[in-house]
Amino acid sequence: MTETPSTVGDGAVGALGMTVPVVQAPIGGAATPQLAAAVSGAGGLGMLALSWSDPAQIRSAIERTGALTSRTFGANLVLDRPQFERLELCLAAGVRVISTFWGDPAPYSAPIHAAGALHLHTVASAAEARRAVAAGVDVVVAQGWEAGGHVWGEVGTLALVPAVVDAVHPVPVIAAGGIADRRGLAAVLALGAVAGWIGTRFLLAEESGAHPGYRAAVAAAAETDTLLSELFDGGWPDAPHRTLRNSTVREWLAAGSPPPGSRPGEGEQVAVRRGEPQLRYSSDIPTTGVEGDVEAMVHYAGQGVGLVRDVKPAAEIVRELVGGRRLRSVTLPRHEGRKATFRPCGGRKVAFLPSPRPRPVLPSSLLGESG
């Protein structure tokens, strides 16, 4: 019997299991199973950050998330190193949305598709987006340089998103960078994105694993309080990132921004995580349970940080971002040589079909009010 092509519910990207256009960015150790499950349970797409996790940690995180929600959730892998083993573990554990970043997605699309999963990839230009789609990527994430954490490019969200949308139509585009309330979400939907990729706002979710001191710094920050640099390079060198201007940043700037090897306090232990020393300039964020000078550790945050003020349950954050309204579904284009259907975790089967350019439907609740 032939199955009728459909989308899941009336969400922004039905094939991703979403009913609202909100993706929780993979915010390192703050992206707990509880957070990913809560976002997915609220109709968005929760993401786990598994790039540096060992096999036992990967299995545990996926199992714990799956125990908390029957909805689709995803896993993010950073491609600055080979990730085939971690990818295989994620797919074997049932993850059906894989997000990649910071490298060439081409070698990863075939195994992702062979498992019946969807491949998201983050880009920073229209040309890169075209290459990603040619490699088989199903959904493009366009990251503007306003984004917190590691930043791949140099173009702002406002200019980047429509350029990428036009370049890869009809492939769906998710917008990232500086989106922290419903006004920002409405803006990127108006630019042609089908959803917003949101990180800084979810640092203050109750389910986030961010250390209370990190949360307090985010809540107190203004939009001018971030810096794009390569300062916190311990564990991930030569990778630009946007952070809050904490004491480590200020002391480095006051010293004239010296290169690695001559920076203030280099090699100094500032905190302890589960008995392991945390050194100044490490790329690891302070999570719950870290002890020591947490303020001196890296505090990733995007330029939307000035809009982030209060700690709330993740589901409530999702509702505030979308104003309690759902948006029109879009479908994914068919890729040549691929199966035409995909069954996301906890969702019914959907089809990859060519579709007209998605026209954003902007409820009045998304306009004129902050989230």
Side-chain angles (χ1 to χ4, degrees), residues 142-190:
Q143 185 202 50
W145 90 310
E146 299 96 325
H150 288 80
V151 180
W152 186 238
E154 299 178 348
V155 181
T157 303
L158 185 65
L160 178 66
V161 171
V164 171
V165 168
D166 289 347
V168 300
H169 168 67
V171 173
V173 174
I174 297 172
I179 308 164
D181 67 5
R182 74 182 60 166
R183 294 170 297 183
L185 180 57
V188 297
L189 294 175

